[in-house]
Amino acid sequence: MSLLAQSIINGLITGSIYALVAAGYSLIYSTNNFMHFAHGISVVAAGYMVYWLFTLAGTPFYVTCIITVILSALFGLAMYRLIYLPLQRKGASNVILLIASIGILTFFQNVIQIAFGSGVKLIGYIEVAKGITFAGITMTLLQIVILVISFIIFIMLYQFMQRTKLGRNMRAVSNNKELASIVGINHIRVSDFSFLIGSGLAGVAGILVALEQNLSPLMGTNLMIKGFTGAVIGGINYVPGSIVGSFLLGLAENLGILVLPSGYKDAIAFSMLFLFLLFKPNGILGKKEGRFDK
Amino acid sequence: MIISAYQTHIFILIFIYIILAVSLNLALGYTGLLNLGHVAFYGIGAYTSALLAIEGMPYLAAMIIAGLFASVFGYLLVTATDRLKGDYLAMATLGFSFVVYSLLLNLREITRGAMGIPGIPKPSILGLTVRTNDQYLIFVLLICAISVFIMYRIVKSPFGKLLEANRDNAVCLRVLGKNTFGLKYKAMMISAFFAGISGSLYAHYITFIDPTSFYISELILILTIVIVGGLASIKGSIVATAVIIYVPEILRTLDLPSSVLGPVRQALYAAILIAILMLRPRGIFGKVDLE
Amino acid sequence: MILSCKDIYKSFGGIKAIDGCSFTVAEKKITGIIGPNGSGKTTMFNVISKLIKPDSGTIEFKGQDVTGLKDYELAKMGVSRTFQDVKLFQNLTIREHLQIAMSDTDEKLLSNIFRGKEGDAQKIKEVMELVGLDKPLDTYGNDLSYGQRKLLDLAIAIAKPHTLLMLDEPVAGVNPRLRDSIKDILRELNSRGESILLIEHDMNFVMDLVDHIFVMDAGKVIAEGAPEEIQNNPCVLEAYLGGSEEGTKCL
Ligand SMILES: Nc1ncnc2c1ncn2[C@@H]1O[C@H](COP(=O)(O)OP(=O)(O)OP(=O)(O)O)[C@@H](O)[C@H]1O
Ligand SMILES: [Mg+2]
């Protein structure tokens, strides 16, 4: 029984990191309608930024966090302005943008590997070793912090999307680009903000990942697939959906390894991704859209 | 031999990648199948051939079965993704390569997981064993020539024109009475078959494989080759393979430590890919756009 | 009867594009469909040629129920069609278009690999002359003008083995001189025993060409008959001009 409960808690913690990745990704997808696969590298870059500023350079932790989030946001904006937008202006299809973004991911993954080496890095900020045990369930303080922070961020994001003018414009652009520009919404500006905010969220995810796990340059692909899978499960063009989907993914992974060998964690995620893309590409909460041929 | 041992090595790789790139071009460029899972076929071919040969199967049989087994996965992939289009199709095929990767990693009883498979025997055909790299070069050149010749004949034949017609306008083609679903299956299976063959050639050349050889960095490399060379151009894929595999070897003259050399090369491939998409999306010899 | 459609319904979201449409096409005759923009003519063509699945209704071709067939299966049975918005194959040449249309062996992979190019040069030349497309055979689909694409689309529909030819506005965007020659081509094909079903807005073009006309409006057939009957039918005037008192009785 407590094994089950523990798995559920672990699932929620993993899920909240996936959800942070997915929320930013799906925010960007829903306003721009293409797959920003390089989102994964924003997360990893943020993690390494923390390692560099905090662990190596000794910058105070909170300052590190603020700088990291800001730089992440700017990194995302730069990708949009320097690569995606010029490609779009040349009439590139979504598939080209996807391939370019896989290229960006690989490029920076290797740049990080050149700069920091391929070995894993530890941040060593909050003591992770000591867990709090309650009713047979063990959680570290850090994990509680992760859960709390991600919930706060999700609520803020939801409020932002619903209540602010910018948030409403984003939803308008995601619904219909042409119509949005007819009513005077500058969709490039909206895209700018979607990259800023989405990549800022990736920055937060990166900080939490850096604290929770060991950093390695190659983790971006994996994180991206997980975030993407969560987004697909919940509905890639609907931010709340992709958050819910990510939690489901986290739970599925952690409950799945109760019956399967633990190595199958990734296989569970990949298979779910594949199955959802095939049978329910709009996800469980996503808006209907023509994903199918004919 | 007139070329150095190192150049022999590079040429062997080039011939292996030519088969891989041309086979991807057959699906992606000629038929318009947005397959980002091509490396999975390559990996399946490599593992199948290696495992069968270790069990004692004659090399040629192992190689052919590796191709056929990859083809079976090609069939399954089309069945599964038949209804998807555009970037969703691309993501699903990418997802397929992730699934295969994680299976290679996790089916430890068969694949030995991350430890990989060492000691893959060198090919032996009709009692003749290909021992030295020089011999392997000739062997690979031969298989490469046969494979490319077959694929060339296919794309130039009336059947090949149907593949191109399917890429341009599948609806119009069906109205002309052609079974475009059948075409897609055939094209993907041929493409997967030759990817499987090149996987087999790779495995028996390097004699050690592990799942990381068949993952996203490999995907970037062959996508770069095909896009740089140009969609629907076999000549383009061949030239681009030679250039893209050979040129980064100049990096070796920089005396970088080997731990950095790999990532530098990978970063370079990715940079070339992005640059070609931005500057000349049709590649060197391409005539068609990726849609 | 070469083709008969019964009670076809098809809606897109809320729009009833086809709203209970039935008609038959007589063998070896030229049949016309007219109707205002958006009345469902092209949709009906798409339903017949299986490109879209109707919500309900049945279709028979040469006395056989073909409702459940796939688009290419029906095409193989002998239905040729053209498109209102022609796209063709951008990266293939005119010759290759016609070869694809005429060949019935190109889907066989193995027999194709080691055999040279095929294609009946004489037949290609004939079709090109028939439709009056005066362009080198090596021209790519991409490099044709709208009118030329229209002609090539007609040419491949004719070149493909068929017994029923369905044409969606074959002379829209084609110059007046060519219109007359297309009219002659269609008469010629008809005299060879082909059945033709065509959609056309141009009344002058249709009226002295066809044997029978169906008038569609809002997804229904509102009138049918010989051209001279139709010309004087108040329902038709209503559909095209709108608002007449008599018109409301038609439905
Ligand atoms: N794929 C589709 N999705 C949604 N609505 C459609 C689709 N195809 C057709 N329609 C709608 O169905 C109706 C009939 O369209 P259709 O193209 O059949 O008209 P038409 O009679 O061919 O007109 P025209 O003379 O202008 O070519 C129109 O209202 C059109 O908007
Ligand atoms: Mg129409």
Side-chain angles (χ1 to χ4, degrees):
Chain A
M1 186 57 219
S2 76
L3 188 60
L4 186 64
Q6 181 74 55
S7 296
I8 291 176
I9 292 293
N10 291 349
L12 288 177
I13 293 159
T14 335
S16 64
I17 289 185
Y18 294 165
L20 276 173
V21 179
Y25 175 78
S26 126
L27 181 75
I28 294 173
Y29 182 83
S30 65
T31 20
N32 298 281
N33 267 315
F34 65 83
M35 312 256 178
H36 172 46
F37 206 71
H39 192 67
I41 206 65
S42 305
V43 180
V44 181
Y48 272 89
M49 186 62 73
V50 174
Y51 172 72
W52 189 36
L53 290 177
F54 175 72
T55 310
L56 295 185
T59 317
F61 187 71
Y62 295 99
V63 180
T64 300
C65 289
I66 292 168
I67 297 179
T68 301
V69 172
I70 292 174
L71 287 181
S72 277
L74 292 176
F75 181 49
L77 180 66
M79 287 191 255
Y80 174 61
R81 281 289 176 154
L82 300 179
I83 298 186
Y84 296 132
L85 188 59
L87 277 172
Q88 281 182 323
R89 290 209 161 118
K90 294 186 81 170
S93 67
N94 287 350
V95 175
I96 299 260
L97 295 173
L98 170 62
I99 292 176
S101 98
I102 299 174
I104 300 173
L105 178 104
T106 321
F107 180 79
F108 284 104
Q109 188 164 292
N110 285 291
V111 168
I112 290 174
Q113 197 166 340
I114 295 164
F116 292 92
S118 57
V120 294
K121 298 282 182 278
L122 272 169
I123 302 294
Y125 174 55
I126 302 175
E127 291 309 321
V128 196
K130 179 93 171 62
I132 302 159
T133 306
F134 175 77
I137 300 164
T138 306
M139 281 176 89
T140 64
L141 184 59
L142 174 64
Q143 291 177 325
I144 296 170
V145 170
I146 289 178
L147 272 180
V148 172
I149 289 186
S150 45
F151 273 103
I152 293 174
I153 286 181
F154 296 143
I155 291 167
M156 280 166 55
L157 186 64
Y158 188 74
Q159 295 296 328
F160 163 77
M161 292 296 280
Q162 298 295 328
R163 305 228 187 282
T164 65
K165 183 151 181 273
L166 181 60
R168 282 195 297 266
N169 282 354
M170 277 182 180
R171 287 190 293 137
V173 171
S174 84
N175 286 335
N176 191 334
K177 213 173 237 167
E178 284 79 40
L179 202 64
S181 53
I182 288 170
V183 299
I185 299 173
N186 178 346
H187 71 83
I188 292 182
R189 273 190 71 78
V190 174
S191 292
D192 283 347
F193 277 106
S194 74
F195 270 90
L196 278 171
I197 297 168
S199 308
L201 286 172
V204 178
I207 296 169
L208 297 181
V209 168
L211 295 175
E212 234 286 284
Q213 309 173 358
N214 297 337
L215 283 174
S216 100
L218 300 180
M219 68 199 301
T221 311
N222 200 32
L223 273 173
M224 187 60 247
I225 299 167
K226 300 299 176 63
F228 177 71
T229 307
V232 168
I233 292 174
I236 189 169
N237 46 15
Y238 181 55
V239 177
S242 61
I243 293 171
V244 171
S246 301
F247 278 104
L248 288 178
L249 175 64
L251 288 171
E253 278 187 1
N254 282 282
L255 293 175
I257 54 170
L258 289 179
V259 286
L260 289 168
S262 67
Y264 278 91
K265 222 173 187 174
D266 289 347
I268 292 170
F270 296 162
S271 309
M272 279 178 83
L273 168 62
F274 199 58
L275 292 176
F276 265 87
L277 279 175
L278 300 186
F279 298 112
K280 204 145 178 33
N282 296 311
I284 33 190
L285 298 174
K287 292 172 256 173
K288 274 221 158 35
E289 235 185 83
R291 292 288 162 229
F292 287 132
D293 217 351
K294 237 182 16 140
Chain B
M1 266 290 183
I2 36 174
I3 50 178
S4 72
Y6 184 70
Q7 280 181 324
T8 309
H9 166 72
I10 294 301
F11 279 119
I12 290 172
L13 288 184
I14 287 176
F15 289 128
I16 292 173
Y17 277 100
I18 284 177
I19 304 178
L20 190 58
V22 173
S23 63
L24 176 60
N25 209 342
L26 184 82
L28 186 69
Y30 285 93
T31 321
L33 300 172
L34 282 168
N35 179 14
L36 299 188
H38 201 62
V39 278
F41 301 142
Y42 181 56
I44 290 166
Y47 269 86
T48 310
S49 180
L51 293 170
L52 290 176
I54 287 174
E55 292 297 317
M57 182 178 280
Y59 177 71
L60 276 186
M63 179 178 84
I64 302 281
I65 292 176
L68 292 176
F69 197 51
S71 260
V72 170
F73 278 85
Y75 181 89
L76 295 176
L77 184 60
V78 177
T79 309
T81 59
D82 206 24
R83 294 157 67 224
L84 294 169
K85 67 178 180 187
D87 46 2
Y88 264 61
L89 175 58
M91 281 310 305
T93 52
L94 189 60
F96 165 73
S97 71
F98 298 151
V99 172
V100 170
Y101 172 77
S102 69
L103 287 178
L104 293 179
L105 213 48
N106 289 302
L107 291 174
R108 290 201 196 101
E109 308 78 48
I110 308 171
T111 65
R112 293 173 36 98
M115 288 186 299
I117 300 179
I120 303 167
K122 290 278 183 184
S124 165
I125 296 137
L126 304 171
L128 286 174
T129 305
V130 179
R131 278 205 187 75
T132 67
N133 279 3
D134 290 342
Q135 288 166 349
Y136 207 91
L137 178 60
I138 294 168
F139 174 65
V140 164
L141 174 60
L142 191 72
I143 303 283
C144 176
I146 296 172
S147 306
V148 172
F149 176 72
I150 293 175
M151 288 187 272
Y152 179 82
R153 290 299 304 212
I154 290 174
V155 300
K156 293 296 170 198
S157 74
F159 178 83
K161 292 301 159 192
L162 287 187
L163 299 183
E164 292 205 60
N166 176 68
R167 172 200 63 211
D168 285 356
N169 189 345
V171 171
C172 187
L173 191 60
R174 286 205 296 276
V175 164
L176 289 174
K178 315 291 175 182
N179 180 352
T180 56
F181 306 103
L183 284 179
K184 278 207 270 185
Y185 278 108
K186 286 177 192 161
M188 188 69 106
M189 288 173 74
I190 300 166
S191 167
F193 177 83
F194 286 106
I197 298 281
S198 71
S200 161
L201 291 172
Y202 176 80
H204 293 261
Y205 171 58
I206 303 289
T207 69
F208 169 81
I209 51 174
D210 69 354
T212 57
S213 308
F214 311 103
Y215 204 37
I216 207 161
S217 55
E218 222 47 29
L219 169 69
I220 290 288
L221 174 57
I222 54 171
L223 271 179
T224 308
I225 291 174
V226 169
I227 293 177
V228 166
L231 292 181
S233 166
I234 287 186
K235 180 174 69 175
S237 289
I238 294 173
V239 173
T241 308
V243 171
I244 287 179
I245 306 274
Y246 201 89
V247 167
E249 296 310 316
I250 297 166
L251 293 172
R252 298 179 62 90
T253 60
L254 298 179
D255 265 345
L256 294 168
S258 66
S259 64
V260 173
L261 191 63
V264 168
R265 190 188 286 133
Q266 290 295 337
L268 185 66
Y269 291 146
I272 295 174
L273 177 61
I274 297 168
I276 194 96
L277 289 177
M278 297 188 70
L279 303 175
R280 200 183 156 88
R282 285 187 172 190
I284 309 172
F285 295 107
K287 305 180 303 260
V288 305
D289 292 319
L290 192 58
E291 279 174 6
Chain C
M1 289 302 117
I2 189 159
L3 178 75
S4 82
C5 311
K6 251 191 228 94
D7 299 324
I8 309 286
Y9 287 86
K10 175 73 200 176
S11 42
F12 296 106
I15 304 166
K16 287 184 184 155
I18 306 287
D19 194 12
C21 188
S22 306
F23 62 80
T24 55
V25 176
E27 212 159 341
K28 303 187 180 174
K29 290 270 162 21
I30 303 183
T31 308
I33 301 181
I34 60 170
N37 292 116
S39 55
K41 305 180 296 295
T42 299
T43 307
M44 202 57 215
F45 258 38
N46 289 342
V47 167
I48 295 172
S49 54
K50 306 275 142 206
L51 293 182
I52 54 183
K53 207 170 144 3
D55 300 335
S56 64
T58 54
I59 300 166
E60 280 183 15
F61 177 63
K62 289 194 204 158
Q64 239 176 300
D65 185 356
V66 295
T67 316
L69 289 192
K70 298 224 168 61
D71 42 15
Y72 61 89
E73 291 169 333
L74 182 73
K76 275 208 172 81
M77 283 179 69
V79 178
S80 265
R81 71 162 285 183
T82 65
F83 289 88
Q84 183 175 1
D85 50 342
V86 275
K87 291 198 191 75
L88 301 171
F89 311 120
Q90 301 92 296
N91 299 291
L92 296 190
T93 64
I94 295 179
R95 181 183 291 109
E96 287 161 351
H97 278 86
L98 291 167
Q99 280 170 346
I100 288 177
M102 293 191 294
S103 169
D104 56 357
T105 56
D106 51 8
E107 286 176 276
K108 298 197 183 76
L109 170 62
L110 288 179
S111 61
N112 259 295
I113 300 180
F114 297 105
R115 209 178 45 196
K117 274 196 180 141
E118 63 169 336
D120 189 338
Q122 183 56 35
K123 232 182 131 191
I124 289 179
K125 200 162 151 259
E126 269 173 36
V127 183
M128 291 288 283
E129 276 168 11
L130 184 66
V131 300
L133 179 56
D134 186 19
K135 264 283 185 182
L137 290 175
D138 295 321
T139 318
Y140 284 95
N142 249 341
D143 302 335
L144 296 175
S145 73
Y146 175 75
Q148 290 167 334
R149 285 211 298 276
K150 212 76 204 171
L151 292 178
L152 179 56
D153 195 24
L154 180 62
I156 60 178
I158 293 173
K160 174 187 165 303
H162 64 276
T163 44
L164 174 64
L165 189 58
M166 297 170 50
L167 309 172
D168 196 345
E169 305 196 13
V171 296
V174 172
N175 78 46
R177 196 173 49 80
L178 264 177
R179 279 174 191 229
D180 291 337
S181 74
I182 287 179
K183 199 183 269 184
D184 295 337
I185 298 165
L186 297 183
R187 284 206 180 103
E188 159 74 19
L189 292 173
N190 179 235
S191 70
R192 290 186 206 167
E194 286 188 14
S195 317
I196 298 173
L197 175 64
L198 84 140
I199 296 176
E200 194 47 70
H201 280 294
D202 182 343
M203 289 294 176
N204 297 330
F205 184 81
V206 194
M207 286 305 170
D208 61 336
L209 177 66
V210 302
D211 303 300
H212 197 82
I213 285 195
F214 292 93
V215 185
M216 285 188 70
D217 188 27
K220 289 190 172 70
V221 173
I222 55 163
E224 65 164 300
E228 47 284 1
E229 294 171 47
I230 291 299
Q231 260 162 332
N232 304 317
N233 187 320
C235 304
V236 179
L237 298 176
E238 141 87 11
Y240 270 99
L241 306 171
S244 95
E245 278 298 304
E246 280 170 287
T248 44
K249 291 185 223 143
C250 302
L251 304 174

